[in-house]
């Protein structure tokens, strides 16, 4: 390589390093400036908080003193004690107890009483005998004002004091002035503490001219000055700004220099007599900052040196490998487009910010056979064609990728799911129309798509993995259609399929773990109004605490045959509960248990039932087996034979949901059942729709059942009117939410036999 080329590259590298150094230097200066500003802001906040605290304490003290005078004023208002001889003594004692320097009472246009701390009480004192400052307070209170005077030097004590004054009224008229004076030390005690800013600050009190009213013992400026503007501490410009703020009673942050150091200060109005709090941060404003800046400088110097070394060493390697690494990380090697990782990153940036993102998954029908029949090369060309066509149909803000094999993902924009699906159909049709696996057109490529709509994406904009999963779920549903189609994700359908999957994968373990629980719904005897029985209903309580209801798992159990095991399990639960009641001396009621078609015709069905009742030593007549009338449509003779066997053992047989499907009055004459349960649809037609024909049919069914000696139970009783109707029709029992919803066995026992019996039965 020629020397000039080497020098050019070195200059190039040096330029990059110089730029990086300058950038780091700028960052360092910025960080230092930020830290300085942050510390100033923190100090200002602390001074503001401290000043507010001391203002509050001053105001509380003044309010407390005024409250004392107000209390005495109220006492004078509702009594004639000021006319009494001992009023002077009372005033003197009040002054002593409240640490006032003086207390005095001046009736309007009359002589007054003055109690001076440590001196005898003076009576018959003229207002004009008092200092002008005191006279001003008295006259103003006679005019109905509440007064707090300015600070002044007392002629009696030769100390700076201030005077409180409040008017004394009787019958709405001012009759006198009650005043009290206190020394300046009350403020000094409050302001001389060494806890300001954690011991690193102090507070003065000044007036609007900047004159010191109270100086902290810990003041930075030791010279004896009258105002804050004496001495070369403020610049002329800053002094003017502070004077303007004081005149306007505004809060102002400032700083001043003393012996070569800069200090921060806050001036805040007290709200009383134009007084100001002056809070000074006694720590040097720059002392800690310099150390911080030095640390930053050293840190950045080390970082700069390290950076020079690394840049010099790694520049060529980084530049050479960057593109290769990027391609490996984010590019699909077959199509040259984005891979799944790149797609996910773009989706992560796009989906949370947009409400019109639709996530689409695409696949080729039977792609493995295309690979097998036409070979890997042609199959790869097909994939490249699909990616090219898909990319060509995308709008500027849309993007796509190939995941693996023949699966693609894309993002389409639009808020109307139907319109987006229609557009996707057109894209797929165009891809399939132009996709020729071989040179003839005898093989038709078909694709199927799953789509997650923009509404679903917007519902969980941060759940990128969930969006991809749901799009794949929709893709799987589309696969079963066996034609080029688009399937839009259905959340409710997916939720149902999730539940179905959980049911079928956990049912055996749930039965083993006794997660199926028996709930009871009472049957009420319409003649007596008392409990006449109960129906055992199953609920599934998984370990996750979410209850599953029968309509979520019973249809699946009937389809896969698991209902056989569950029905026998429920008979076992019913017998166990009957045994528990009997062992506790509770007279039980019959329990009805549903029996499925599959179980009813099992060869060993009856022996298994006998084994259960023998295990718990339960008379069979306490168990009513409920069957559906549809069983009679297939082989009534065989069904009747099975019913007769069960009745001989002692079981009662009930026909459930009569009238819901294939009801026939002839069924009643063909089956030897003990109980007929009318479906709630009968009752609803009569009550809600006022169907006279339904009422007649219902009445005839009840009467026919009664003549055949069959007990009639009506389901779905929800109101008192429902109950009155079925009682009028001659029904025997009512069951429904009017009496009770299905409840667990403990609650059922406690409700119908008392809480104590319920606890015993539980044990």
């Amino acid at each position: 390589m020629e020397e000039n080329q080497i020098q050019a590259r070195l200059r190039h590298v040096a330029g990059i390093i110089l730029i990086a150094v300058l950038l780091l230097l700028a960052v360092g200066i910025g960080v230092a400036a930020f830290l300085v500003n942050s510390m100033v802001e923190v100090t200002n906040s602390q001074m503001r908080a401290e000043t507010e605290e001391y203002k509050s304490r001053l105001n509380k003290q003044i309010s407390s003193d005024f409250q004392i005078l107000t209390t005495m004023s109220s006492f004078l208002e509702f009594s004639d004690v000021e006319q009494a001889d001992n009023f002077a003594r009372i005033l003197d004692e009040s002054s002593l107890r409240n640490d006032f320097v003086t207390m005095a009472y001046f009736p309007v246009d009359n002589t007054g009483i003055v109690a001076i701390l440590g001196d005898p009480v003076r009576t018959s004192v003229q207002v004009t005998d008092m200092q002008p400052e005191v006279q001003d307070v008295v006259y103003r209170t006679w005019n109905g004002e509440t007064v707090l005077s300015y600070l002044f030097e007392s002629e009696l004590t030769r100390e700076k004091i201030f005077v409180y004054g409040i008017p004394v009224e009787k019958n709405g008229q001012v009759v006198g002035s009650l005043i009290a004076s206190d020394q300046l030390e009350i403020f000094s005690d409050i302001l001389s503490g060494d806890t300001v800013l954690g011991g690193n600050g102090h507070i003065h009190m000044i007036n609007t001219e900047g004159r010191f009213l109270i100086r902290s013992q810990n003041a930075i400026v030791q010279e004896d000055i009258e105002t804050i503007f004496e001495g070369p501490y403020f610049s002329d410009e800053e002094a003017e700004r502070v004077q303007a703020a004081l005149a306007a009673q505004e809060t102002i942050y400032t700083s001043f220099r003393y012996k070569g150091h800069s200090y921060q200060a806050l001036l805040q109005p007290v709200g009383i007599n134009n007084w100001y709090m002056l809070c000074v941060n006694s720590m040097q404003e720059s002392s800690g900052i310099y150390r911080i800046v030095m640390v930053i400088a050293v840190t950045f110097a080390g970082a700069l040196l390290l950076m020079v070394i690394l840049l010099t060493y790694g520049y060529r390697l980084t530049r050479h490998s960057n593109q290769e690494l990027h391609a490996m990380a984010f590019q699909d090697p077959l199509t040259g487009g984005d891979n799944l990782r790149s797609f996910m990153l773009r989706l992560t940036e796009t989906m949370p910010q947009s409400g019109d993102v639709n996530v689409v998954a695409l696949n080729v029908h039977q792609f493995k056979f295309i690979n097998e029949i036409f070979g890997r090369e042609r199959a790869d060309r097909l994939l490249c064609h699909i990616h090219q066509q898909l990319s060509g149909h995308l709008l500027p803000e849309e993007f796509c990728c190939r995941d693996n094999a023949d699966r693609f993902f894309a993002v389409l924009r639009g808020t109307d799911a139907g319109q987006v699906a229609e557009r996707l159909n057109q894209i797929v049709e165009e891809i399939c129309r132009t996709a020729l696996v071989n040179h003839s057109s005898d093989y038709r490529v078909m694709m199927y798509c799953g789509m997650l709509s923009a509404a679903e994406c917007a519902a969980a904009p941060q759940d990128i993995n969930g969006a991809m999963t749901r799009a794949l779920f929709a893709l799987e549903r589309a696969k079963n259609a066996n034609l080029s189609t688009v399937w839009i994700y259905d959340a409710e359908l997916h939720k149902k399929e999730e539940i179905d999957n959980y049911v079928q994968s956990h049912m055996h373990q749930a039965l083993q773990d006794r997660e199926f629980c028996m709930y009871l719904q009472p049957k009420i005897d319409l003649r007596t109004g008392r409990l006449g029985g109960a129906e055992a209903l199953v609920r599934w309580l998984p370990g996750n605490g979410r209850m599953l209801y029968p309509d979520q798992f019973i249809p699946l159990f009937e389809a896969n045959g698991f209902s056989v095991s569950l029905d026998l399990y429920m008979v076992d639960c019913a017998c166990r509960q009957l045994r528990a009641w009997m062992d506790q001396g509770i007279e039980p009621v019959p329990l009805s248990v549903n029996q499925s078609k599959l179980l009813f015709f099992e060869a060993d069905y009856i022996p298994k039932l006998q084994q259960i009742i023998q295990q718990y030593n339960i008379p069979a007549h306490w168990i009513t087996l409920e069957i559906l009338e549809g069983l009679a449509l297939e082989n009534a003779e065989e069904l009747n034979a099975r019913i007769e066997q069960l009745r001989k053992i002692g079981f009662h047989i009930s026909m459930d949901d009569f009238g819901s499907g294939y009801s026939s009055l002839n069924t009643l004459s063909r089956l030897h059942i003990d109980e007929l349960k009318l479906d709630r649809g009968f009752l609803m037609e009569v009550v809600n729709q006022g169907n006279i024909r339904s009422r007649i049919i219902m009445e005839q069914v009840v009467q026919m059942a009664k003549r055949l000696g069959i007990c009639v139970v009506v389901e779905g009783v929800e109101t008192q009117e429902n109950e009155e109707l079925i009682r009028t029709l001659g029904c025997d029992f009512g069951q429904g939410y009017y009496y009770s919803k299905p409840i667990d066995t403990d609650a059922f026992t406690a409700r119908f036999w008392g809480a104590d019996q319920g606890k015993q039965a539980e044990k």
Side-chain angles (χ1 to χ4, degrees):
M1 181 178 295
E2 296 181 0
E3 183 66 23
N4 59 350
Q5 292 180 327
I6 296 176
Q7 291 298 328
R9 292 198 175 187
L10 288 176
R11 285 194 297 270
H12 182 67
V13 172
I16 294 175
I17 295 174
L18 179 60
I19 293 173
V21 169
L22 292 176
L23 287 175
L24 280 176
L25 182 61
V27 170
I29 294 173
V31 170
F34 172 77
L35 290 175
V36 171
N37 291 332
S38 297
M39 291 189 67
V40 170
E41 291 178 2
V42 169
T43 302
N44 287 344
S45 298
Q46 290 176 337
M47 289 194 298
R48 184 74 176 249
E50 292 281 356
T51 305
E52 290 291 345
E53 171 64 21
Y54 281 93
K55 276 180 54 180
S56 175
R57 292 170 62 182
L58 284 174
N59 285 319
K60 285 181 181 178
Q61 180 63 45
I62 292 172
S63 297
S64 175
D65 291 342
F66 268 121
Q67 184 62 42
I68 293 170
L69 294 182
T70 301
T71 302
M72 291 191 64
S73 172
S74 300
F75 178 66
L76 293 173
E77 180 180 356
F78 296 103
S79 69
D80 295 325
V81 67
E82 74 274 15
Q83 306 296 333
D85 295 336
N86 62 348
F87 178 61
R89 181 179 57 81
I90 294 174
L91 199 64
D92 188 33
E93 290 181 357
S94 297
S95 178
L96 290 172
R97 291 181 180 179
N98 296 288
D99 294 329
F100 290 129
V101 175
T102 61
M103 288 192 71
Y105 175 71
F106 288 96
V108 175
D109 298 328
N110 204 341
T111 60
I113 302 171
V114 178
I116 304 173
L117 190 65
D119 291 340
V121 178
R122 297 165 56 185
T123 59
S124 301
V125 179
Q126 296 290 337
V127 175
T128 54
D129 294 336
M130 306 301 291
Q131 288 182 235
E133 292 85 358
V134 177
Q135 294 179 36
D136 178 67
V137 171
V138 173
Y139 293 144
R140 290 170 64 186
T141 53
W142 281 352
N143 290 327
E145 296 183 42
T146 297
V147 183
L148 175 64
S149 75
Y150 291 94
L151 292 169
F152 62 93
E153 185 173 322
S154 171
E155 295 176 352
L156 298 175
T157 62
R158 299 302 177 183
E159 295 178 348
K160 283 190 176 182
I161 64 170
F162 57 95
V163 177
Y164 301 101
I166 63 171
V168 178
E169 299 181 354
K170 284 190 178 183
N171 300 321
Q173 297 293 325
V174 177
V175 298
S177 171
L178 183 63
I179 66 174
S181 68
D182 207 347
Q183 295 177 353
L184 188 62
E185 280 72 13
I186 185 173
F187 291 109
S188 299
D189 290 342
I190 294 175
L191 299 177
S192 64
D194 58 358
T195 60
V196 180
L197 297 177
N200 296 316
H202 56 270
I203 292 179
H204 307 288
M205 182 177 289
I206 63 175
N207 61 16
T208 52
E209 288 77 30
R211 185 175 300 277
F212 286 99
L213 302 177
I214 304 173
R215 291 192 67 179
S216 173
Q217 297 175 356
N218 303 317
I220 292 173
V221 178
Q222 299 299 318
E223 288 79 3
D224 186 14
I225 56 177
E226 293 293 329
T227 72
I228 63 175
F229 301 112
E230 293 184 16
Y233 309 120
F234 288 109
S235 65
D236 293 340
E237 182 180 352
E238 187 65 13
E240 290 179 4
R241 190 173 76 91
V242 172
Q243 287 173 341
L246 292 176
Q249 284 287 296
E250 296 176 347
T251 298
I252 181 172
Y253 292 99
T254 184
S255 63
F256 64 93
R257 296 191 64 79
Y258 181 70
K259 293 184 178 180
H261 299 299
S262 181
Y263 299 90
Q264 292 175 255
L266 165 67
L267 291 103
Q268 187 170 23
V270 176
I272 302 171
N273 291 342
N274 294 330
W275 294 342
Y276 258 85
M277 289 280 190
L278 170 59
C279 181
V280 179
N281 176 20
S282 60
M283 290 190 68
Q284 297 174 22
E285 190 176 75
S286 58
S287 59
I289 300 300
Y290 284 150
R291 290 194 295 269
I292 294 174
V293 172
M294 287 300 296
V295 171
I296 294 174
V298 172
T299 302
F300 272 85
L304 290 176
L305 179 60
L306 180 61
M307 183 176 179
V308 169
I309 296 173
L310 293 177
L311 285 175
T312 302
Y313 175 77
Y315 171 72
R316 293 183 180 180
L317 179 62
T318 302
R319 184 177 180 182
H320 177 74
S321 60
N322 183 57
Q323 292 182 346
E324 182 180 352
L325 292 174
H326 185 275
M328 292 175 60
F330 300 108
Q331 193 175 74
D332 175 32
L334 177 63
T335 64
D338 290 343
N339 61 10
L340 183 61
R341 178 182 297 177
S342 178
F343 180 86
M344 292 284 286
L345 288 175
R346 295 183 67 179
L347 184 61
T348 302
E349 296 174 355
T350 304
M351 197 167 84
Q353 300 175 1
S354 306
D356 61 347
V357 171
N358 301 267
V359 180
V360 176
L362 306 91
N363 220 331
V364 180
H365 269 296
Q366 303 296 336
F367 181 75
K368 60 182 180 181
F369 291 110
I370 295 177
N371 241 331
E372 180 179 340
I373 297 172
F374 300 104
R376 175 72 176 271
E377 182 181 352
R378 291 184 178 178
D380 287 348
R381 286 206 299 266
L382 172 62
L383 296 177
C384 291
H385 169 78
I386 293 173
H387 181 269
Q388 180 182 4
Q389 289 290 318
L390 181 58
S391 301
H393 285 83
L394 297 181
L395 300 176
E397 294 184 352
E398 298 174 341
F399 49 94
C400 66
C401 79
R402 185 180 78 97
D403 178 12
N404 55 49
D406 61 325
R407 188 163 70 190
F408 295 81
F409 286 101
V411 163
L412 302 182
R413 297 301 187 104
T415 55
D416 189 317
Q419 292 180 359
V420 175
E422 178 61 28
R423 180 184 164 212
L424 181 58
N425 258 321
Q426 294 174 1
I427 294 174
V428 170
E429 288 177 2
E430 178 66 17
I431 292 174
C432 295
R433 185 181 64 81
T434 58
L436 298 177
V437 181
N438 55 2
H439 297 293
S440 63
S441 58
D442 58 347
Y443 190 92
R444 173 72 172 175
V445 174
M446 294 192 300
M447 298 186 69
Y448 55 97
C449 311
M451 187 181 88
L452 183 67
S453 67
E456 291 288 344
C457 291
Q462 303 295 337
D463 188 9
I464 307 302
N465 290 325
M468 299 289 286
T469 301
R470 288 187 285 275
L472 288 175
F473 171 78
L475 182 70
E476 188 64 24
R477 298 287 300 181
K479 181 179 180 180
N480 299 327
N482 290 324
L483 73 163
S484 296
T485 186
V486 176
W487 189 281
I488 301 176
Y489 173 83
D490 186 334
E492 291 300 320
L493 177 61
H494 182 55
K495 183 177 179 181
K496 181 181 181 303
E497 293 198 354
E498 282 183 335
I499 294 175
D500 290 350
N501 178 68
Y502 179 87
V503 167
Q504 299 201 58
S505 60
H506 290 77
M507 58 187 184
H508 294 286
Q509 188 63 40
L511 188 66
Q512 181 178 338
D513 295 341
R514 305 193 70 85
E515 291 182 358
F516 295 102
C517 300
M518 183 176 71
Y519 275 49
L520 298 176
Q521 186 174 36
K523 298 178 183 177
I524 301 301
D525 191 327
L526 296 175
R527 297 185 300 273
T528 65
R530 303 186 65 181
L531 179 68
E535 180 178 0
L537 300 169
V538 63
R539 299 289 186 269
W540 187 351
L541 295 175
N544 58 18
R546 182 181 65 178
M547 178 181 287
L548 297 178
Y549 293 91
D551 60 345
Q552 294 177 297
F553 55 86
I554 291 298
L556 286 175
F557 289 173
E558 290 177 346
N560 62 26
F562 189 70
S563 58
V564 172
S565 301
L566 182 60
D567 289 348
L568 289 174
Y569 171 85
M570 290 300 294
V571 173
D572 183 273
C573 291
C575 291
R576 185 187 308 110
Q577 186 60 53
L578 289 167
R579 181 74 268 159
W581 285 336
M582 295 167 70
D583 289 345
Q584 298 303 320
I586 297 175
E587 180 67 22
V589 294
L591 297 183
S592 301
V593 186
N594 289 286
Q595 303 290 279
S596 64
K597 171 184 174 181
L598 292 175
L599 176 61
F600 209 76
F601 288 111
E602 285 277 324
D604 57 351
Y605 172 54
I606 294 178
K608 287 182 178 178
L609 287 179
Q610 289 178 304
Q611 180 182 354
I612 294 173
I613 62 174
Q614 290 169 4
Q615 176 184 348
Y616 292 100
N617 193 21
I618 299 297
H621 66 268
W622 291 117
I623 298 294
T624 299
L625 304 172
E626 293 190 1
I627 61 174
L628 296 175
E629 61 175 316
L631 288 173
L633 298 177
E634 299 179 0
N635 192 335
E637 298 303 324
E638 182 181 355
L639 177 61
N640 246 339
R642 181 57 60 94
I643 290 175
E644 286 301 324
Q645 288 179 283
L646 293 169
R647 294 184 68 193
K648 286 181 181 179
I649 298 172
F651 292 105
H652 289 178
I653 307 300
S654 173
M655 181 181 291
D656 193 15
D657 293 340
F658 184 83
S660 63
Y662 308 99
S663 301
S664 170
L665 296 178
N666 189 41
T667 305
L668 296 178
S669 64
R670 298 172 64 188
L671 298 182
H672 302 157
I673 58 176
D674 302 288
E675 180 182 274
L676 182 68
K677 295 188 73 173
L678 297 183
D679 182 70
R680 69 184 301 272
F682 260 140
L683 183 60
M684 293 302 101
E685 284 189 8
V686 175
V687 174
N688 296 336
Q689 302 178 17
N691 194 322
I692 302 300
R693 297 171 65 89
S694 296
R695 180 188 176 106
I696 294 173
I697 294 173
M698 185 175 178
E699 186 174 9
Q700 291 301 315
V701 169
V702 172
Q703 294 303 319
M704 183 176 296
K706 300 289 283 185
R707 291 178 183 176
L708 294 172
I710 299 174
C711 176
V712 178
V713 179
V714 180
E715 295 180 303
V717 180
E718 297 180 355
T719 65
Q720 183 177 355
E721 290 75 12
N722 294 165
E723 184 187 59
E724 292 174 356
L725 172 63
I726 62 175
R727 184 184 289 113
T728 301
L729 294 177
C731 302
D732 299 293
F733 294 92
Q735 179 181 340
Y737 275 41
Y738 176 64
Y739 307 110
S740 173
K741 66 179 182 179
I743 55 179
D744 61 50
T745 55
D746 294 339
F748 186 91
T749 305
R751 176 171 179 176
F752 291 102
W753 288 289
D756 293 338
Q757 293 285 4
K759 292 179 181 178
Q760 293 176 3
E762 182 181 358
K763 295 179 181 178

